[in-house]
Amino acid sequence: MLKIIWIILSLVLIGLIFLRTPQNQGLASFSTKSNLLGSPSSAEQFLNNLTIVLMILYFSFAIYLNLVS
């Protein structure tokens, strides 16, 4: 069960990292004009915090699964 959660978590992290808009490049001007998630800075801060939390969970699962097996 934990391996399934770990695999899903890794896929979500990969998707989240690839879907982020680049800083000061092509889509950055579009992201500053969109108000779907509130202000761009608060949405970016939320995505940064979410990425950090998911990375900590991912590495915790990886360490635990490595110690158990």
Side-chain angles (χ1 to χ4, degrees), residues 1-10 13 53-69:
M1 180 69 184
L2 288 177
K3 282 192 175 188
I4 294 172
I5 294 172
W6 184 62
I7 291 170
I8 292 171
L9 187 61
S10 66
L13 269 172
V53 169
L54 291 178
M55 287 176 68
I56 291 170
L57 283 173
Y58 176 81
F59 285 119
S60 299
F61 275 119
I63 292 168
Y64 178 77
L65 290 173
N66 192 21
L67 293 175
V68 170
S69 60

Side-chain angles (χ1 to χ4, degrees), residues 4 9 13 16 21 23-24 34 41 43 46 48 51 57 60 67:
I4 294 172
L9 187 61
L13 269 172
L16 184 64
T21 56
Q23 296 288 331
N24 297 327
S34 174
S41 60
F46 172 75
N48 288 341
T51 304
L57 283 173
S60 299
L67 293 175

